[in-house]
Amino acid sequence: MLIVKKFGGTSVADKERIFNVAKRCIEDYRKGNDVVVVLSAMGKFTDVLVQQARDINPNPPKREMDMLYTIGEQQSVALMAMAMDSLGVPAVSLNAFQVKMRTTPAYGNARLIKIETDRIKNELESHKIVLITGFQGVDGMDNYTTLGRGGSDTTAVALAAALHADACEIYTDVEGVYTADPRIVPDAKKLPEITYDEMLDLSSLGAGVLHNRSVEMAKRYGVQLVVRSSLSLAEGTIVKEAVNMEGMLISGVANDKNTARIAVIGLEDQPGVAFKLFNHLANHNINVDIILQSVGRDGTKDISFTVAKDDLKEAVATVERHRNTSLKYSKIDVEENVAKVSIVGAGMMSNPGVAAKMFEALYDAGVNIKMISTSEIRVTVLIDVQQTEKAVNAVHNKFF
Ligand code: ADP
Ligand code: ASP
Ligand code: MG
């Protein structure tokens, strides 16, 4: 069997944890498997790098930020190879450049295009455990890129797909995917299984346990994932195409504080206004999430929408740049102290009243809703960020 195993930052945070991971990998290796291991930077090292960069330059060039990020993952794989060597097992560490993990040139948010597998296969044939840096890639000009925070999961899934691995295991600091973030909802339940679609919605809506692109990629290439703990032997959560969740109205509650609302007030109430507004944003690679348009009055209307906090400055600047040319409006309002709370579940499709039940839970908890957005299998509300924990617990209690 060829097994791809990915370990997150907490799982390799110190010497003891590194040896714990080394031993778990060696166990599989000794059973005769080919083992490819993807690692994240140790502990919160990536955050430390962000701080170091900002201390020198509050607006660091994105290329140099990615150059800096790459050292975190490289430290992990090199130390892991040393740990395995000390345990008498041959291992080799490779970074994205050595593997040739090609990505688009979008610094900080690159997409994987192609992974060369020759080097990895050669190392496996010479019976080594192959340790690969997560999160990083190389663009067509040999610049280092990164896949977005939390991107090591995506590296692992992409490798599993490229190598036609028999298993892809994501090891983290919780025992699987829960019905809500177990750090916010202490009685959240571990899900034995979840579909790609529901997991994709949960992770896109803030459940950081899996990078959303990793789920997208797992679905596209049919890579079945297991999410489990590196610190216990408990069985984890399987992420796959179809699961038996009969009787479950929703599979989980997610929250996301990385959001901000922009309201463009007094836009002309004419055809093409929404197109122009969102086209300008799309041209700057700004992802827009919840959109709300008011009823027109006196020939004007308001459009509000949410963007990730990181994109806020650029989104506002983009809208302002087109003021009085392609966009006519009276003012922009920005609200940063907001959070999204969402419920996700295929059971919603056949059960009316799920949204009402969520709104009732929020009403009982005294939480005001600022915006609402729905799809077939999810409901998202925007609320005051201070009320996030209260709202998530109230909604979770209502459904589980
Ligand atoms: P790693 O460093 O291993 O990639 P992450 O911090 O990226 O770990 O992801 C694991 C964290 O995801 C957990 O500690 C937990 O707080 C958070 N999380 C958020 N939502 C969920 C959920 N629904 N189920 C499990 N964990 C969740
Ligand atoms: N080290 C990177 C981060 O902290 C990538 C990852 O952990 O997946 O975002
Ligand atoms: Mg992660």
Side-chain angles (χ1 to χ4, degrees):
M1 282 223 316
L2 196 166
I3 307 174
V4 173
K5 302 165 92 72
K6 179 259 167 179
F7 295 87
T10 329
S11 304
V12 292
D14 53 32
K15 177 178 162 186
E16 191 192 331
R17 298 265 172 93
I18 287 178
F19 274 102
N20 168 58
V21 168
K23 284 176 191 150
R24 287 190 85 141
C25 296
I26 288 170
E27 222 174 276
D28 282 333
Y29 172 83
R30 292 241 157 94
K31 286 182 193 151
N33 299 298
D34 287 334
V35 182
V36 173
V37 185
V38 175
L39 299 182
S40 295
M42 294 169 70
K44 299 252 175 274
F45 191 58
T46 307
D47 293 330
V48 173
L49 293 174
V50 172
Q51 273 323 109
Q52 274 182 359
R54 289 207 182 132
D55 198 30
I56 296 226
N57 179 343
N59 231 337
K62 288 186 172 172
R63 178 189 182 280
E64 303 311 328
M65 201 58 231
D66 280 0
M67 187 73 182
L68 182 65
Y69 276 145
T70 57
I71 67 170
E73 274 60 21
Q74 195 159 318
Q75 177 183 41
S76 297
V77 291
L79 290 174
M80 186 63 70
M82 294 175 197
M84 289 178 173
D85 176 76
S86 79
L87 296 170
V89 173
V92 60
S93 66
L94 298 173
N95 68 12
F97 195 82
Q98 292 168 316
V99 172
K100 293 189 182 60
M101 234 181 271
R102 291 292 171 194
T103 72
T104 57
Y107 298 120
N109 191 25
R111 279 178 183 264
L112 282 162
I113 301 171
K114 189 168 192 288
I115 298 180
E116 303 281 340
T117 54
D118 293 358
R119 175 74 190 267
I120 301 173
K121 285 180 181 159
N122 287 341
E123 300 288 2
L124 289 173
E125 265 163 37
S126 56
H127 299 290
K128 289 186 190 137
I129 294 183
V130 184
L131 305 165
I132 299 178
T133 49
F135 181 46
Q136 57 181 252
V138 186
D139 75 6
M141 303 294 285
D142 287 350
N143 295 298
Y144 276 113
T145 55
T146 58
L147 309 180
R149 295 301 307 272
S152 297
D153 300 329
T154 302
T155 309
V157 175
L159 277 166
L163 295 165
H164 305 288
D166 300 288
C168 183
E169 304 164 354
I170 309 288
Y171 289 83
T172 183
D173 55 5
V174 288
E175 290 189 349
V177 179
Y178 284 70
T179 49
D181 186 338
R183 296 187 200 285
I184 294 186
V185 180
D187 56 355
K189 293 176 186 61
K190 186 169 76 185
L191 297 164
E193 309 180 314
I194 186 167
T195 64
Y196 292 125
D197 287 333
E198 288 169 301
M199 191 64 234
L200 187 56
D201 267 345
L202 279 179
S203 54
S204 306
L205 293 164
V209 61
L210 282 176
H211 191 230
N212 62 347
R213 292 235 181 104
S214 73
V215 187
E216 208 174 84
M217 194 170 296
K219 179 180 161 76
R220 186 172 335 132
Y221 295 101
V223 177
Q224 186 166 309
L225 304 179
V226 181
V227 180
R228 55 188 301 185
S229 167
S230 65
L231 302 167
S232 85
L233 294 174
E235 277 184 35
T237 303
I238 298 171
V239 189
K240 58 185 193 176
E241 188 62 46
V243 310
N244 180 11
M245 297 254 266
E246 233 169 277
M248 268 183 98
L249 216 44
I250 69 165
S251 51
V253 184
N255 66 281
D256 188 357
K257 295 182 179 176
N258 179 20
T259 188
R261 174 167 77 164
I262 300 175
V264 189
I265 314 283
L267 282 157
E268 290 175 293
D269 193 8
Q270 275 182 2
V273 170
F275 159 66
K276 285 177 202 157
L277 173 62
F278 293 115
N279 195 42
H280 291 316
L281 295 166
N283 287 339
H284 283 82
N285 267 323
I286 296 168
N287 259 327
V288 171
D289 192 23
I290 312 178
I291 299 175
L292 190 76
Q293 175 173 314
S294 70
V295 176
R297 62 185 136 63
D298 306 330
T300 71
K301 63 186 172 193
D302 309 335
I303 296 182
S304 24
F305 53 92
T306 59
V307 295
K309 278 212 170 79
D310 300 336
D311 287 336
L312 178 62
K313 261 196 209 146
E314 204 175 340
V316 171
T318 303
V319 176
E320 280 175 346
R321 209 172 305 125
H322 296 282
R323 186 170 193 176
N324 297 329
T325 51
S326 58
L327 293 174
K328 299 201 168 48
Y329 60 89
S330 53
K331 64 167 183 161
I332 299 182
D333 264 355
V334 170
E335 203 175 354
E336 282 192 73
N337 293 325
V338 288
K340 282 185 292 189
V341 173
S342 309
I343 54 172
V344 171
M348 260 179 237
M349 275 191 282
S350 46
N351 287 282
V354 173
K357 203 165 157 178
M358 177 187 193
F359 302 153
E360 186 186 18
L362 294 168
Y363 167 58
D364 290 342
V367 176
N368 187 38
I369 301 173
K370 294 169 185 281
M371 280 172 114
I372 300 173
S373 137
T374 64
S375 83
E376 262 189 328
I377 67 163
R378 74 171 172 89
V379 182
T380 300
V381 297
L382 193 77
I383 61 164
D384 188 307
V385 71
Q386 254 95 46
Q387 296 190 307
T388 312
E389 282 73 19
K390 183 163 81 168
V392 172
N393 274 288
V395 172
H396 188 269
N397 279 348
K398 193 84 176 169
F399 287 95
F400 296 100

